[in-house]
Amino acid sequence: MKKIHCFIIGIALLGAIPSFSQNFTWPQGKKMALSLSFDDARGSQVTHGTPLLNQHGVKATFFLNPGAMEKNLAGWKKAVADGHEIGNHSTSHPCTGIFTWSRANALENYSLEKMEKDILDCNKSIEKNLGVKAEVFAYPCGQTFIGNAGQTQSYVPLIAKHFLLGRLWKSEAPNDPSYTNFAQLTGIEMDGQDFEQILPLIEEARKSGKWLVLAGHEMNESGNQTTRLSMLKKLMEYANDPAHGIWIAPMGTVTKYIQSH
């Protein structure tokens, strides 16, 4: 009986302890942080996306592949000039060979040395073409391993070595600033979503003082793997309203703030 009694008291005490992230202080009294991120250097990002972001004074994080970037260099140079953050999304976008389209460039056939060369080549291309050093990384397909079966290894340590942060894909929760693995930050998909579907994620993050990172691809009104411009417009109008207490900033900016506090 004594053990049961102590257990119940312990549970009650734990329930009374507030979440650590609720005690974290965001800039200017904001209640949460929000970052918008986009992958693959899709053409629509600089033809449709950045002009809309600029209209609302919002800076986003764009994770680029050199091949796609080089098709729209003028647009990406303007994105840099406009203050958007440029990140690394690898040179060749390797994913698991379980995906038939990636079988010729499967992570199962990579070594740590090959992966390191791939990401560093991407950094060199970004710096050469855009004049900026990529400090942030997004894992292609959100996958963090190389090798197969008994030879499987994580390449998260490589990302921790070379970058300020690494972002995952299709995650299920926002980031807690008091307990954050910067090399594996969560990223929640916003492609194909209406604002009404995104709003509950924002409300939950605000309630607990967390950092919500949204991730998408194309930026247009419709289509596969597309973050809808109509949704983005509503999202930015909502986030820019001081009454909602949202700090919206690029991923690197938020990371540096958390690390300094």
Side-chain angles (χ1 to χ4, degrees), residues 8-240:
I8 292 172
I9 292 175
I11 292 296
L13 288 172
L14 284 172
I17 298 173
S19 167
F20 286 111
S21 59
Q22 290 177 328
N23 297 325
F24 186 81
T25 303
W26 292 111
Q28 301 173 345
K30 301 294 186 182
K31 298 177 181 177
M32 64 169 289
L34 171 66
S35 294
L36 305 178
S37 63
F38 301 89
D39 295 357
D40 298 339
R42 307 284 180 99
S44 62
Q45 293 170 1
V46 288
T47 55
H48 302 306
T50 50
L52 180 63
L53 294 170
N54 294 341
Q55 287 174 23
H56 293 268
V58 171
K59 311 302 180 188
T61 301
F62 292 92
F63 295 101
L64 310 187
N65 303 110
M69 171 192 70
E70 290 166 7
K71 295 177 182 177
N72 296 281
L73 270 183
W76 289 112
K77 287 179 179 178
K78 187 176 187 311
V80 170
D82 290 337
H84 298 288
E85 181 176 45
I86 301 300
N88 184 316
H89 198 42
S90 81
T91 298
S92 62
H93 202 286
C95 294
T96 177
I98 291 172
F99 302 144
T100 54
W101 52 265
S102 185
R103 198 153 295 169
N105 188 40
L107 284 167
E108 286 82 355
N109 297 324
Y110 270 65
S111 64
L112 289 175
E113 292 75 18
K114 183 177 179 180
M115 178 57 73
E116 186 167 38
K117 182 179 186 306
D118 190 284
I119 61 177
L120 292 181
D121 284 349
C122 180
N123 263 13
K124 289 175 185 175
S125 179
I126 289 172
E127 193 159 6
K128 174 186 173 183
N129 287 288
L130 301 182
V132 295
K133 180 180 179 181
E135 295 184 306
V136 298
F137 181 85
Y139 296 92
C141 300
Q143 295 164 340
T144 62
F145 74 93
I146 56 95
N148 201 356
Q151 285 71 51
T152 302
Q153 300 178 69
S154 169
Y155 76 90
V156 171
L158 278 181
I159 303 309
K161 174 183 174 182
H162 292 292
F163 298 96
L164 184 66
L165 64 88
R167 196 218 69 208
L168 302 171
W169 165 241
K170 287 194 174 181
S171 306
E172 298 182 12
N175 298 283
D176 187 332
S178 67
Y179 188 85
T180 301
N181 180 348
F182 291 104
Q184 296 188 87
L185 291 171
T186 61
I188 298 177
E189 184 179 16
M190 60 178 160
D191 287 342
Q193 305 292 305
D194 294 322
F195 176 65
E196 290 70 24
Q197 294 171 282
I198 298 293
L199 184 56
L201 300 175
I202 295 173
E203 291 175 337
E204 183 59 34
R206 180 171 52 207
K207 188 187 306 180
S208 55
K210 292 181 180 175
W211 174 21
L212 176 64
V213 177
L214 297 174
H217 292 85
E218 300 284 357
M219 300 175 75
N220 215 323
E221 288 300 350
S222 62
N224 184 45
Q225 280 200 322
T226 299
T227 293
R228 298 169 184 160
L229 299 179
S230 56
M231 183 282 289
L232 269 182
K233 184 175 182 295
K234 291 181 181 179
L235 172 65
M236 291 186 291
E237 289 172 348
Y238 186 88
N240 282 334

